mmCIF file of all heavy atoms in Angstrom:
data_model
loop_
_atom_site.group_PDB
_atom_site.id
_atom_site.type_symbol
_atom_site.label_atom_id
_atom_site.label_comp_id
_atom_site.label_asym_id
_atom_site.label_seq_id
_atom_site.Cartn_x
_atom_site.Cartn_y
_atom_site.Cartn_z
ATOM 1 N N LEU Y 89 -2.284 18.366 -35.251
ATOM 2 C CA LEU Y 89 -1.514 19.251 -36.132
ATOM 3 C C LEU Y 89 -0.350 18.503 -36.765
ATOM 4 O O LEU Y 89 -0.035 18.712 -37.948
ATOM 5 C CB LEU Y 89 -1.007 20.449 -35.333
ATOM 6 C CG LEU Y 89 -0.151 21.473 -36.086
ATOM 7 C CD1 LEU Y 89 -0.918 22.060 -37.269
ATOM 8 C CD2 LEU Y 89 0.309 22.588 -35.147
ATOM 9 N N ARG Y 90 0.258 17.617 -35.996
ATOM 10 C CA ARG Y 90 1.382 16.837 -36.527
ATOM 11 C C ARG Y 90 0.939 15.985 -37.720
ATOM 12 O O ARG Y 90 1.658 15.869 -38.723
ATOM 13 C CB ARG Y 90 1.953 15.956 -35.408
ATOM 14 C CG ARG Y 90 3.231 15.212 -35.780
ATOM 15 C CD ARG Y 90 3.764 14.496 -34.555
ATOM 16 N NE ARG Y 90 4.196 15.439 -33.537
ATOM 17 C CZ ARG Y 90 5.398 16.023 -33.526
ATOM 18 N NH1 ARG Y 90 6.264 15.766 -34.498
ATOM 19 N NH2 ARG Y 90 5.715 16.843 -32.572
ATOM 20 N N VAL Y 91 -0.257 15.405 -37.611
ATOM 21 C CA VAL Y 91 -0.799 14.606 -38.721
ATOM 22 C C VAL Y 91 -1.118 15.503 -39.915
ATOM 23 O O VAL Y 91 -0.862 15.150 -41.065
ATOM 24 C CB VAL Y 91 -2.054 13.835 -38.266
ATOM 25 C CG1 VAL Y 91 -2.758 13.186 -39.456
ATOM 26 C CG2 VAL Y 91 -1.678 12.774 -37.235
ATOM 27 N N ALA Y 92 -1.668 16.690 -39.619
ATOM 28 C CA ALA Y 92 -2.027 17.615 -40.706
ATOM 29 C C ALA Y 92 -0.800 18.104 -41.470
ATOM 30 O O ALA Y 92 -0.905 18.508 -42.637
ATOM 31 C CB ALA Y 92 -2.788 18.802 -40.133
ATOM 32 N N LEU Y 93 0.370 18.047 -40.837
ATOM 33 C CA LEU Y 93 1.611 18.513 -41.473
ATOM 34 C C LEU Y 93 2.477 17.357 -41.958
ATOM 35 O O LEU Y 93 3.709 17.477 -42.018
ATOM 36 C CB LEU Y 93 2.404 19.371 -40.472
ATOM 37 C CG LEU Y 93 1.758 20.686 -40.031
ATOM 38 C CD1 LEU Y 93 2.575 21.342 -38.923
ATOM 39 C CD2 LEU Y 93 1.615 21.636 -41.210
ATOM 40 N N LEU Y 94 1.847 16.256 -42.325
ATOM 41 C CA LEU Y 94 2.605 15.079 -42.756
ATOM 42 C C LEU Y 94 3.525 15.378 -43.940
ATOM 43 O O LEU Y 94 4.565 14.737 -44.110
ATOM 44 C CB LEU Y 94 1.643 13.944 -43.123
ATOM 45 C CG LEU Y 94 1.089 13.125 -41.951
ATOM 46 C CD1 LEU Y 94 0.063 12.119 -42.427
ATOM 47 C CD2 LEU Y 94 2.228 12.423 -41.209
ATOM 48 N N GLY Y 95 3.160 16.337 -44.761
ATOM 49 C CA GLY Y 95 3.987 16.660 -45.928
ATOM 50 C C GLY Y 95 5.218 17.465 -45.602
ATOM 51 O O GLY Y 95 6.061 17.698 -46.485
ATOM 52 N N VAL Y 96 5.347 17.907 -44.355
ATOM 53 C CA VAL Y 96 6.493 18.714 -43.945
ATOM 54 C C VAL Y 96 7.487 17.832 -43.202
ATOM 55 O O VAL Y 96 7.133 17.119 -42.269
ATOM 56 C CB VAL Y 96 6.045 19.886 -43.044
ATOM 57 C CG1 VAL Y 96 7.241 20.734 -42.636
ATOM 58 C CG2 VAL Y 96 4.989 20.723 -43.741
ATOM 59 N N ASP Y 97 8.725 17.859 -43.627
ATOM 60 C CA ASP Y 97 9.749 17.009 -43.011
ATOM 61 C C ASP Y 97 10.168 17.527 -41.640
ATOM 62 O O ASP Y 97 10.138 18.730 -41.374
ATOM 63 C CB ASP Y 97 10.982 16.933 -43.917
ATOM 64 C CG ASP Y 97 10.699 16.197 -45.225
ATOM 65 O OD1 ASP Y 97 9.770 15.363 -45.230
ATOM 66 O OD2 ASP Y 97 11.397 16.471 -46.219
ATOM 67 N N ASP Y 98 10.571 16.596 -40.798
ATOM 68 C CA ASP Y 98 11.175 16.965 -39.509
ATOM 69 C C ASP Y 98 12.601 17.440 -39.737
ATOM 70 O O ASP Y 98 13.239 17.032 -40.721
ATOM 71 C CB ASP Y 98 11.145 15.754 -38.560
ATOM 72 C CG ASP Y 98 9.839 15.637 -37.792
ATOM 73 O OD1 ASP Y 98 9.285 16.689 -37.465
ATOM 74 O OD2 ASP Y 98 9.396 14.510 -37.552
ATOM 75 N N PRO Y 99 13.146 18.334 -38.897
ATOM 76 C CA PRO Y 99 12.541 18.799 -37.645
ATOM 77 C C PRO Y 99 11.624 20.008 -37.815
ATOM 78 O O PRO Y 99 11.101 20.509 -36.811
ATOM 79 C CB PRO Y 99 13.758 19.166 -36.812
ATOM 80 C CG PRO Y 99 14.747 19.682 -37.810
ATOM 81 C CD PRO Y 99 14.549 18.830 -39.031
ATOM 82 N N VAL Y 100 11.422 20.484 -39.050
ATOM 83 C CA VAL Y 100 10.588 21.672 -39.257
ATOM 84 C C VAL Y 100 9.171 21.426 -38.747
ATOM 85 O O VAL Y 100 8.581 22.272 -38.059
ATOM 86 C CB VAL Y 100 10.569 22.071 -40.751
ATOM 87 C CG1 VAL Y 100 9.582 23.215 -40.981
ATOM 88 C CG2 VAL Y 100 11.959 22.458 -41.215
ATOM 89 N N ARG Y 101 8.625 20.266 -39.096
ATOM 90 C CA ARG Y 101 7.261 19.964 -38.663
ATOM 91 C C ARG Y 101 7.159 19.993 -37.138
ATOM 92 O O ARG Y 101 6.236 20.597 -36.565
ATOM 93 C CB ARG Y 101 6.826 18.599 -39.194
ATOM 94 C CG ARG Y 101 5.425 18.205 -38.741
ATOM 95 C CD ARG Y 101 4.935 16.928 -39.381
ATOM 96 N NE ARG Y 101 5.753 15.780 -39.035
ATOM 97 C CZ ARG Y 101 5.304 14.513 -39.021
ATOM 98 N NH1 ARG Y 101 4.049 14.257 -39.348
ATOM 99 N NH2 ARG Y 101 6.092 13.524 -38.723
#
Side-chain angles (χ1 to χ4, degrees):
L89 179 59
R90 187 174 294 276
V91 171
L93 295 173
L94 279 175
V96 181
D97 293 335
D98 274 325
V100 174
R101 178 174 62 154

